[in-house]
Amino acid sequence: MKLSVIIPIFNRSDLFTLGLASLVNQGFRDWELVLVDDQSTEDLSKVYSMFPIKVQHIRIDPRNHPAYSGYHTPALAINIGIRHARGDVICITQPEILHDSGNLERGYDHAKQGGFVFGKVQLTTKPFTKYIRDHQEEPFGQLWQKGIDFGSTVFPDNELYWYVAFVYKKYADLIQGVDEE
């Protein structure tokens, strides 16, 4: 296995469908999906079962984790995904990201050469933006709104972006993942 794509997720199956389609429609074929599900109430298997991919669907309960204090970030899910990944390189992404053609292959090649790649990709902007605007009571929603407010000056094309990382798995294992606190 060359690449493990780790996606921490809680519901958002509509956005996940678009993001996953963008991954599947690339030329890169030797990859698996490590879906770390934070107690979704939606049946996410309905989404990934539509695609011919290898999937590890891991359900977690963050309340059982020692670092849990009533709120948690995707870091916990990412670290669980890293531990379960079987690829030489891991890609850490989000369900709503639309990956450009060739993104997996480029990220894999660069990570194999240099160990770590970090870049921005376009989101499925309209549905995700609406979701965030509808949930302004959440701290992330407030932060995202600031990004929207300043979007036209920060991103001249007036679109919204999220970030994706590719890292050689042995390096992710060496540093024991990302900070969960």
Side-chain angles (χ1 to χ4, degrees):
M1 177 78 45
K2 287 186 175 182
L3 181 69
S4 294
V5 177
I6 299 170
I7 299 180
I9 191 167
F10 175 75
N11 291 333
R12 299 190 305 203
S13 59
D14 55 337
L15 302 176
F16 178 44
T17 302
L18 296 171
L20 190 53
S22 75
L23 288 168
V24 171
N25 291 329
Q26 299 191 39
F28 196 86
R29 295 288 175 235
D30 192 8
W31 64 280
E32 69 171 345
L33 172 63
V34 181
L35 189 67
V36 187
D37 181 351
D38 191 353
Q39 299 182 320
S40 292
T41 56
E42 299 174 359
D43 183 0
L44 300 173
S45 68
K46 288 182 180 179
V47 175
Y48 62 74
S49 65
M50 296 187 300
F51 300 99
I53 56 172
K54 299 170 196 131
V55 179
Q56 289 189 64
H57 186 161
I58 305 159
R59 288 186 57 88
I60 64 169
D61 184 346
R63 296 171 296 189
N64 296 332
H65 192 272
Y68 181 74
S69 61
Y71 175 78
H72 64 284
T73 68
L76 172 62
I78 290 167
N79 288 338
I80 290 169
I82 290 169
R83 287 193 290 276
H84 284 84
R86 296 179 295 215
D88 298 330
V89 170
I90 57 174
C91 169
I92 301 167
T93 187
Q94 296 290 323
E96 62 274 5
I97 289 180
L98 294 179
H99 291 265
D100 292 335
S101 178
N103 190 47
L104 289 182
E105 187 170 11
R106 281 190 309 275
Y108 174 82
D109 289 343
H110 288 304
K112 285 292 276 192
Q113 293 170 14
F116 184 73
V117 181
F118 189 76
K120 70 177 186 175
V121 291
Q122 184 177 349
L123 286 171
T124 53
T125 57
K126 291 179 183 174
F128 187 61
T129 301
K130 181 183 181 326
Y131 174 83
I132 295 300
R133 284 185 174 153
D134 291 347
H135 294 83
Q136 279 301 296
E137 70 280 0
E138 299 174 16
F140 180 76
Q142 294 166 7
L143 213 97
W144 192 264
Q145 185 61 47
K146 289 180 183 176
I148 294 167
D149 293 343
F150 295 102
S152 59
T153 55
V154 176
F155 305 117
D157 55 7
N158 219 12
E159 295 292 335
L160 298 173
Y161 294 85
W162 197 262
Y163 293 90
V164 63
F166 290 84
V167 63
Y168 210 12
K169 182 166 182 342
K170 68 180 182 182
Y171 296 146
D173 290 339
L174 187 65
I175 63 168
Q176 300 177 348
V178 296
D179 187 359
E180 293 173 4
E181 295 180 24

